[in-house]
Amino acid sequence: EAKGDAQTAMDTWMAGIRFSEHVTHGGSLIFSLVAAKSLIANFRALTYAVQHGPTRWSAEQRKEVAQQIQSLPETGFDWGQALFYEEIPLDVVVQQMKSVKNPAEYFRQVTGNPSNVDFSAPSATDTAAFHKVMSAAEDALRESPEVADAQLRLLQEQEQKFHPFYRQVTPSLTRINEARKEVLEARQELLSALTAR
């Protein structure tokens, strides 16, 4: 019975991990950030259960969970793809901003912040600069958090040169990387607990 309880708990947590993965498919950053919180919670719950749970986990159960966790990306998801999906609606907003009579008012409605009196919609050059930085950030987010850290900081500094609209709506690249680090740390703690004797 104790073994059965451990198996049921294990299956429940693994289902939660698979659900977290599913949430991110085709979604923008907000989906990945929400899913990351869920993934970390499941990793930590499993770690606690392995280390302090009332029932002992068999070697087979530990091996099964370890294999499933190792099959996941180290930071949980493809964060670069999520950042790419973040850009698509912004392109739509910029096109709409170019078509309205009062871009400054449209900017206020979209961002919740007032603009300068001489505000104009982003130009093609502004948009190209934004996408260039985002493309480099997407690539960096496919590296380990440690490797990506310095590059993302440099890219975030370049955001200061963006058009005011893009400065307002561009997510914090360093915060995204911090979320990735949390997932990686929780994953490593779980794998260590599973392989400990």
Side-chain angles (χ1 to χ4, degrees):
E1 185 177 329
K3 184 177 179 181
D5 289 345
Q7 185 66 44
T8 300
M10 182 185 82
D11 291 343
T12 301
W13 283 311
M14 292 309 299
I17 288 168
R18 286 190 294 275
F19 178 75
S20 297
E21 282 187 285
H22 178 72
V23 165
T24 66
H25 289 176
S28 62
L29 277 174
I30 189 66
F31 292 95
S32 292
L33 290 167
V34 169
K37 295 292 183 190
S38 172
L39 192 61
I40 290 165
N42 279 290
F43 283 166
R44 289 182 176 156
L46 276 165
T47 301
Y48 183 86
V50 170
Q51 293 174 331
H52 309 290
T55 57
R56 187 169 176 82
W57 287 44
S58 69
E60 292 80 13
Q61 288 171 323
R62 287 172 178 255
K63 183 179 179 182
E64 180 185 345
V65 173
Q67 286 175 338
Q68 291 188 50
I69 299 304
Q70 287 167 336
S71 72
L72 300 173
E74 285 191 340
T75 58
F77 325 108
D78 186 342
W79 293 83
Q81 184 179 46
L83 185 61
F84 171 76
Y85 287 139
E86 197 79 9
E87 297 171 56
I88 297 169
L90 296 180
D91 288 340
V92 174
V93 170
V94 168
Q95 289 307 311
Q96 290 175 338
M97 193 181 299
K98 288 179 178 179
S99 69
V100 298
K101 291 182 180 179
N102 188 342
E105 174 60 18
Y106 188 80
F107 174 89
R108 187 195 64 74
Q109 290 174 358
V110 170
T111 67
N113 295 311
S115 65
N116 295 328
V117 177
D118 60 349
F119 178 88
S120 60
S123 67
T125 302
D126 294 325
T127 298
F130 167 73
H131 283 298
K132 182 179 179 181
V133 170
M134 292 299 100
S135 179
E138 290 162 25
D139 291 340
L141 288 171
R142 293 189 175 101
E143 301 289 346
S144 71
E146 186 178 344
V147 170
D149 197 52
Q151 187 177 359
L152 291 172
R153 288 182 189 283
L154 288 173
L155 291 170
Q156 193 157 296
E157 288 175 12
Q158 293 180 38
E159 293 175 17
Q160 299 308 311
K161 300 175 185 175
F162 281 174
H163 180 279
F165 170 73
Y166 288 122
R167 283 202 307 268
Q168 283 287 328
V169 298
T170 300
S172 170
L173 301 176
T174 54
R175 286 185 185 168
I176 296 168
N177 207 39
E178 288 301 317
R180 296 172 71 233
K181 286 178 186 176
E182 285 185 53
V183 173
L184 177 61
E185 288 168 6
R187 178 182 183 271
Q188 289 174 332
E189 287 171 8
L190 174 55
L191 289 173
S192 294
L194 289 166
T195 56
R197 297 296 177 192

